[in-house]
Amino acid sequence: MSRTQNSKLKTQNSAIVEVRGLKKYFPVFSGLFTQRVVGWVKAVDDVSFSIRRGETLGLVGESGCGKTTTGRCILQLERVTEGEILFEGQDLTRLGDAELRLLRRHMQIVFQDPYSSLNPRMTIGQIIGEPIWVHRLLRDRGECRDRVEELLTLVGLNPLMAQRYPHELSGGQRQRVGIARALALEARFVVCDEPVSALDVSIQAQIINLLEELQGRFSLTYLFIAHDLSVVRHISDRIVVMYLGRVAEIADRVELYESPLHPYTQALLSAVPVPDPAVEAQRERVVLKGEVPSPMNPPSGCVFHPRCPIAVEECGQIVPQLREIRPDHWVACSRV
Amino acid sequence: MLARLCKINFVATLLEVRDLRTHFHTSQGIVRAVDGVSFDIKEGETAALVGESGCGKTMTALSVMRLVPKPQGSIVGGEIHFQGRDLLRLTEQEMREIRGAEIAMIFQEPMTSLNPVLTIGRQITETLEAHERLSRDTPEARALELLRLVGIPDANRRLSDYPHRLSGGMRQRIMIAIALSCNPKLILADEPTTALDVTIQAQILELMRELSRKFGVAMMIITHNLGVVARYADRVHVMYAGKVIESAGARDIYQNPRHPYTLGLLHSVPRLDQPRKAKLDPIEGQPPDLWNLPQGCSFSPRCKFVIERCKREVPPLRDIGAGHRSACWVAETLSQGKVSSS
Ligand SMILES: Nc1ncnc2c1ncn2[C@@H]1O[C@H](COP(=O)(O)OP(=O)(O)OP(=O)(O)O)[C@@H](O)[C@H]1O
Ligand SMILES: Nc1ncnc2c1ncn2[C@@H]1O[C@H](COP(=O)(O)OP(=O)(O)OP(=O)(O)O)[C@@H](O)[C@H]1O
Ligand SMILES: [Mg+2]
Ligand SMILES: [Mg+2]
């Protein structure tokens, strides 16, 4: 068994992050120039889950279901509309800017797009060194340079890369820089927002292995956001499935993939093609009808009911609550 | 007897690409985007062209359509036979008659290929009129029929809608409708579902498969998703750095990969149908720059099976039996490449 898993077993199951009743609504304005609010995008609508210290919590769901918004709300990069975000017991939504700035060191983010998330006018060395400088972790230029070189080596890049600019790096190399930057401040908790989606298949595995190795080494906790269910299964201990701003199901990796209970999770899993024609020929497929509705005007009752293969009339009326169906396996479906 | 057997099993080759070369002239030098690509597509078959970003998939398809961006890019060598005619020898006028009517293309980002100021209905009728492929039906009636065929709900109303009013999945359905409008023999689909969600991706691919069977249209799906290939393709052509490096029937290539790159790709992706591995097995290193290719085999710097010869001589794509082709000097001795669940 890998070191990562050993260290995961040792850490106790206490929560490092707790999300309680999180809501994030974005206003929709009537025109380009008028500022009249004509509606709300319910990007995240009453979401609760916790992230245990040392684990990787996967967050999956289709485009626009609110994954990024959830991640950004946890890090307070976005002010919440309602709800609490507890980080090591402290409610971040009640903190002022100065207090947040101190805590930010411990919570970092790796972005999806390695092309736009690095400042093109700064060298790689400056990009990684800047947060160290801003947070005054090191006050000596030489020490700071040494630390940058150490970080570059850590993520598998040549220390000479410090002199280069982002456009001179490949996508995979840039993603390593993003990871090095997140680690520069010795973060304990990292939100990885689709960190491999923009990368080539042959490079994705390199980055996933790196993230796992670093997790074992520095006891990191990850919130791993992705839409690729195969990747999420590989890296996550537990998984949250979201649909249209709500949580559909939460379970540990084995449970979720072996006995998914929510009809949406089942459809999602069966939609993922497996790279083996012999297996594919045997697989059952649930092809969902219809499109993902707009979060501006979500369906009544269970948001999934218009596409759900097992919906009954009451699904259109009652919002299903998350229930613990089996130990540690939570489902928001009244038909389960 | 033999003749009769042949007749029964013989499926005509629709497209034959031989040693195609498409280059770009840039300030950094010549980019060999397509560097000696060869493959065949049979009538009614679904082929997949797989490979990493920048390996030349789109340029291969654009070369077949003779739509390589000018003046930087040009086809500098090779042959493209379509139903027996070499497309590279046709005049621009003759080629225009083939485009859309005989060979249609679907692009990755439907928003950039749909005209934002024309209604959906108009975009379809325009293609029909351009090729004068109208028998009894009026263009409007045919457009409506096509929208229904690709599963657009409320088709009547949609005819007068503009593209921006539609979701990504709907736009891709429109692109499929336009591609089908003149009953082509071949559809080149460049990453038709990459921008879409998995559940919508499944809908679109199922639709494409159903329609290609119904009308006997051959398809070439360009993708980097090995799962999509496994589910939908009959034959697979794997590209690396401007070349096809392996071609085989879909089952064959997954169960018995005969090129180290294909083998590496199959090993590096996590799979839902197999027990989770403790660690992924990536291909180390980076894909090469196309304007600065290594000597010999382009994959050799990343290859686990490399021998001296690989660094000197470019391995040709050669037959290694049963319709399986590989461009690797050690193809025969590669360990049985079955992707095991260890
Ligand atoms: N700043 C904003 N203003 C208005 N609406 C927003 C804003 N940010 C996000 N949204 C909307 O909120 C919803 C959720 O978006 P979010 O980016 O969280 O989704 P996601 O699950 O991360 O999707 P993806 O997989 O495409 O990244 C979407 O409908 C999006 O359009
Ligand atoms: N206008 C251009 N000028 C110079 N080089 C170009 C141009 N267009 C494409 N190329 C190069 O040609 C090569 C092949 O490009 P192509 O678009 O065919 O790749 P692809 O396999 O379709 O990749 P992707 O999966 O990212 O779409 C790339 O390395 C690209 O950089
Ligand atoms: Mg997102
Ligand atoms: Mg392309």
Side-chain angles (χ1 to χ4, degrees), chain A residues 62 233-234 280 288 291, chain B residues 167 199 203 271 274 276:
Chain A
E62 295 179 277
R233 165 172 168 235
H234 176 82
E280 269 303 325
L288 284 181
E291 308 248 323
Chain B
S167 69
T199 61
Q203 289 175 351
R271 290 176 51 161
Q274 288 181 353
R276 180 180 167 277

